[in-house]
Amino acid sequence: MASRAPLFFLVICFCLGHAKSFIEVVCDKTITGQVNLQSMLTCQVETTQEIPDLTITLVVWKKQGDDQFMSVLDKRDGKGNKFQPGYKVTLNDRTVSLVITDTQVKDEGVYTCHVTTDSGIAKTTTNLKVTARYNAPIVDSIDEEIVRNAYKSLICKATGGYPKGKLRWFDEHKMEWTASAELTVNKTEDGLFELFSKLPLMKGSTFSQYTCVVYNASGNKEDSVPIILQSTEKEPYKKPLSAIIAPVLVVGSLIVGLLFALLICRRRSQQKNRRSSTAPLMGTHNMVPHTDQVIDPPPPYCEEIKDGMA
């Protein structure tokens, strides 16, 4: 606390040291920085009247909600600069800047810039927004055991982004299926977001390819990755070939067996008929003479009559 007291005293002097100020500090309302890169909050010191030789003696940057000053640039005699690690103040003519060497999510917020000159004091605020691009999404498919009527689910995961984005699903015909997916959002220790989306695939309603697309908080597309489904995944409800061949073999075996049985029965019937037809030839009844046997004709009847008349 003792080390902060002189700094608070400086801020009080801003209000009491000059009854009238001829300067103003102008900054962009919003400045965007990226995670792991350098960010610079820049403001201009302007005068309300012509002051050719304006001298800036003190610049203080402070983040709202933080008791400590981020950086102090003090050009007064016997004074020195005070910078927190990772932060520093630069002064170029009438341009004052706060440099954040390695921007993180925790740096997001509203900053106040206090400026003291030989012609008055002024302050203003600027808002730092932090962004981080999501890593390329990773997709995979898993067997589904929870969602009813679903045989598989597609999984898409994107990490390392900020602010919170969104994962969307499209099929090969550019039709969106995001409404059928479940999105889970986790926040990591460094403040970045992890997106996890699960899209169940229903039987008979799948396509050969789906694409997972990651969008940032502004609704802009950052990256995408497709997943191609195998034919066995596309029609999982079809019976395997073995299940079709087995009944065919059984039915075929039955047909062959029936045909073989009919053939045996027919042969037996033919043999029985042959035995019945040969039985009369082997009996004790009189034999019928063969029609080809030569029989002597009886004596002529007419000659007997002539002899009697003589």
Side-chain angles (χ1 to χ4, degrees), residues 5-292:
L7 297 177
F8 283 107
F9 177 75
L10 291 176
V11 177
I12 296 175
C13 290
F14 292 157
C15 302
L16 301 178
H18 297 271
K20 187 176 182 180
S21 178
F22 298 98
I23 68 167
E24 60 181 2
V25 181
V26 180
C27 307
D28 293 334
K29 291 184 178 180
T30 302
I31 299 173
T32 302
Q34 293 186 1
V35 171
N36 298 328
L37 297 180
Q38 177 179 285
S39 299
M40 182 177 292
L41 284 62
T42 301
C43 301
Q44 299 291 330
V45 179
E46 300 180 356
T47 59
T48 58
Q49 64 182 29
E50 186 67 22
I51 303 176
D53 298 325
L54 181 68
T55 300
I56 298 176
T57 58
L58 181 64
V59 178
V60 178
W61 281 92
K62 185 178 183 298
K63 182 183 178 183
Q64 290 186 5
D66 192 343
D67 295 336
Q68 295 185 355
F69 290 89
M70 308 304 296
S71 293
V72 177
L73 177 63
D74 196 342
K75 299 180 66 176
R76 296 175 300 174
D77 294 338
K79 303 296 182 181
N81 301 328
K82 296 183 180 180
F83 303 149
Q84 288 193 27
Y87 306 89
K88 65 178 181 179
V89 177
T90 62
L91 175 61
N92 183 12
D93 194 12
R94 296 185 180 184
T95 301
V96 294
S97 302
L98 173 64
V99 179
I100 304 175
T101 57
D102 185 19
T103 307
Q104 298 298 320
V105 174
K106 64 181 180 62
D107 294 320
E108 187 174 64
V110 177
Y111 290 78
T112 303
C113 178
H114 301 263
V115 177
T116 301
T117 70
D118 56 0
S119 298
I121 63 173
K123 68 176 181 178
T124 191
T125 60
T126 184
N127 185 25
L128 174 64
K129 286 189 174 297
V130 176
T131 63
R133 185 180 179 86
Y134 282 90
N135 298 320
I138 300 173
V139 295
D140 197 2
S141 64
I142 61 173
D143 293 333
E144 182 56 62
E145 299 178 354
I146 300 177
V147 180
R148 186 178 181 182
N149 296 327
Y151 77 100
K152 278 189 178 299
S153 286
L154 300 182
I155 304 300
C156 183
K157 183 178 181 181
T159 61
Y162 186 86
K164 183 177 70 175
K166 189 175 183 181
L167 295 176
R168 298 169 64 181
W169 290 96
F170 298 89
D171 62 26
E172 58 199 78
H173 304 296
K174 308 301 181 183
M175 181 179 296
E176 185 169 4
W177 294 90
T178 307
S180 301
E182 179 183 357
L183 178 66
T184 303
V185 180
N186 298 321
K187 198 170 186 179
T188 58
E189 293 181 358
D190 53 6
L192 300 177
F193 285 100
E194 179 182 85
L195 308 179
F196 182 87
S197 180
K198 179 180 178 182
L199 177 64
L201 299 182
M202 300 301 173
K203 296 180 180 179
S205 63
T206 59
F207 297 88
S208 61
Q209 177 176 311
Y210 290 86
T211 302
C212 177
V213 185
V214 56
Y215 289 83
N216 58 27
S218 300
N220 299 321
K221 177 182 175 180
E222 290 197 350
D223 210 337
S224 64
V225 61
I227 179 171
I228 299 176
L229 303 180
Q230 302 296 329
S231 59
T232 54
E233 292 182 332
K234 186 176 180 180
E235 298 180 357
Y237 53 90
K238 287 187 176 181
K239 293 183 178 180
L241 187 60
S242 59
I244 299 176
I245 294 177
V248 173
L249 292 177
V250 172
V251 174
S253 300
L254 291 175
I255 293 175
V256 172
L258 289 174
L259 292 175
F260 187 71
L262 290 174
L263 181 61
I264 293 176
C265 291
R266 185 176 180 181
R267 288 182 178 179
R268 289 180 178 178
S269 177
Q270 290 177 349
Q271 292 177 357
K272 184 177 181 180
N273 291 335
R274 288 177 182 176
R275 292 175 181 175
S276 300
S277 62
T278 56
L281 299 176
M282 302 175 64
T284 57
H285 58 277
N286 296 327
M287 299 294 290
V288 177
H290 197 274
T291 56
D292 294 336

